[in-house]
């Protein structure tokens, strides 16, 4: 945000509650203070002692309570509704997304409108269930998320978190992503050539989830297709990077502790704010 007007505009668009809502047992805050603290906390890791020295004049316990309440309000009222309630809400944009991907790759007949991938968000070593949250692939304790992104950078859908022991394909089945894509095509009314998403080779190939052609049956045309689609799929990795660069708090694993913070809600709110 470049000015106070940008933050004011954000609060107005989100219908952010007024001052009365932020009267907490440990202190009273204005709506501007609530939003500023929330954005400052997500933008870069800092403890509440440092924040109190930056101008948030309240006890550390009150600042912690305020941050948690803003995060809960944001998740319940906006983040969950946008990222976790199916994909049919994007039906009007999907044909345009598919056209953009087709023009970029040179394969418009495949009707690919988005890209699928999973991401692991590192957390501090938990005091319980350590084995469940440990990822042998990433060699760290983490939470797993699955996201679908569009060519314009919008995050269309996110499922998670789950513990670090699960792979990406497990998340696809857990959230019934194929059924959601089938419903999306039914809403659009496109059953003959369904709109689909593209993912890396770990995902199972279905009518709605595409992946690179396997090596044992590739032709020259398949090689061209793989190269073009993989070049486009890199955009989802860039989007994951944009989220953690804008909201560096979610990338600092020592602050992401299951015992006294909520790293899953923080990361999902960061994705919503990135959108």
């Amino acid at each position: 945000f470049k000015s106070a007007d940008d933050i004011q505009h954000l609060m107005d668009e989100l219908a952010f509650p007024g001052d009365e809502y932020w009267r907490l047992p440990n202190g009273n805050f204005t709506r501007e203070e609530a939003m500023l603290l929330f954005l400052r906390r997500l933008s870069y890791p800092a403890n509440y002692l440092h924040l109190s020295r930056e101008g948030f004049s309240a006890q550390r316990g009150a600042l912690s309570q305020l941050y948690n309440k803003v995060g809960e309000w944001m998740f319940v009222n906006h983040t969950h509704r946008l990222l976790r309630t199916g994909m049919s809400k994007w039906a009007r944009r999907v044909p345009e997304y598919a056209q953009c991907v087709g023009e970029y790759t040179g394969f418009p007949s495949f009707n690919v409108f988005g890209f699928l991938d999973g991401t692991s968000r590192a957390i501090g070593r938990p005091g319980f269930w350590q084995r469940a949250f440990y990822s042998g692939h990433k060699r760290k304790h983490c939470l797993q998320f699955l996201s679908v992104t569009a060519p314009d950078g919008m995050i269309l859908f996110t499922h998670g978190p789950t513990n670090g022991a699960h792979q990406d394909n497990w998340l696809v089945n857990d959230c019934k992503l194929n059924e959601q894509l089938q419903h999306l095509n039914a809403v659009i009314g496109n059953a003959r050539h369904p709109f689909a998403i593209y993912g890396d080779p770990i995902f199972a190939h279905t009518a709605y989830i595409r992946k690179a052609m396997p090596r044992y049956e590739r032709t020259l045309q398949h090689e061209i297709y793989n190269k073009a689609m993989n070049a486009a799929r890199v955009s989802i990795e860039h989007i994951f990077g944009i989220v953690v660069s804008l909201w560096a708090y979610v990338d600092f694993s020592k602050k992401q502790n299951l015992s006294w913070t909520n790293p899953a809600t923080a990361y999902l709110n960061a994705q919503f704010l990135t959108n």
Side-chain angles (χ1 to χ4, degrees), residues 26-98:
N26 294 335
N28 299 330
F29 300 92
T30 65
R31 70 194 294 254
E32 289 80 9
E33 288 174 333
M35 178 59 76
L36 286 171
L37 175 70
F38 182 70
L39 296 177
R40 171 62 184 87
R41 175 76 165 164
L42 279 181
S43 66
Y44 199 78
N47 59 39
Y48 291 109
L49 178 61
H50 292 156
L51 294 178
S52 63
R53 293 172 179 172
E54 290 182 6
F56 296 99
S57 54
Q59 295 181 351
R60 285 174 285 177
L63 295 178
S64 176
Q65 188 178 22
L66 178 63
Y67 168 79
N68 291 332
K69 188 170 184 178
V70 177
E72 180 183 359
W73 180 90
M74 190 79 69
F75 179 82
V76 171
N77 290 276
H78 296 289
T79 301
H80 175 76
R81 184 174 57 181
L82 179 70
L83 298 177
R84 296 159 63 92
T85 56
M87 299 182 61
S88 58
K89 68 175 76 67
W90 303 101
R92 295 178 61 183
R93 291 193 180 193
V94 164
E96 183 180 358
Y97 288 153

Side-chain angles (χ1 to χ4, degrees), residues 189-258:
N190 184 30
R192 187 173 182 182
H193 299 288
F195 292 102
I197 55 180
Y198 184 86
D200 59 28
I202 195 175
F203 297 106
H205 184 88
T206 68
Y208 306 104
I209 300 178
R210 311 282 171 78
K211 64 178 183 178
M213 298 296 180
R215 181 175 300 177
Y216 61 86
E217 60 180 30
R218 286 181 193 171
T219 64
L220 179 59
Q221 187 73 5
H222 292 162
E223 292 284 357
I224 297 173
Y225 168 80
N226 288 353
K227 185 175 181 179
M229 294 302 298
N230 289 335
R233 195 192 69 82
V234 172
S235 63
I236 191 172
E237 304 290 352
H238 295 163
I239 293 169
F240 289 152
I242 290 171
V243 172
V244 297
S245 66
L246 290 176
W247 315 105
Y249 170 78
V250 301
D251 197 36
F252 188 57
S253 61
K254 293 181 180 180
K255 287 283 187 181
Q256 310 305 312
N257 192 298
L258 296 176

Side-chain angles (χ1 to χ4, degrees), residues 173-194:
N173 297 326
D174 186 53
C175 67
K176 296 180 172 57
L177 184 58
N178 279 287
E179 287 82 350
Q180 294 191 45
L181 292 169
Q182 183 179 11
H183 178 65
L184 171 65
N185 279 275
V187 171
I188 299 174
N190 184 30
R192 187 173 182 182
H193 299 288

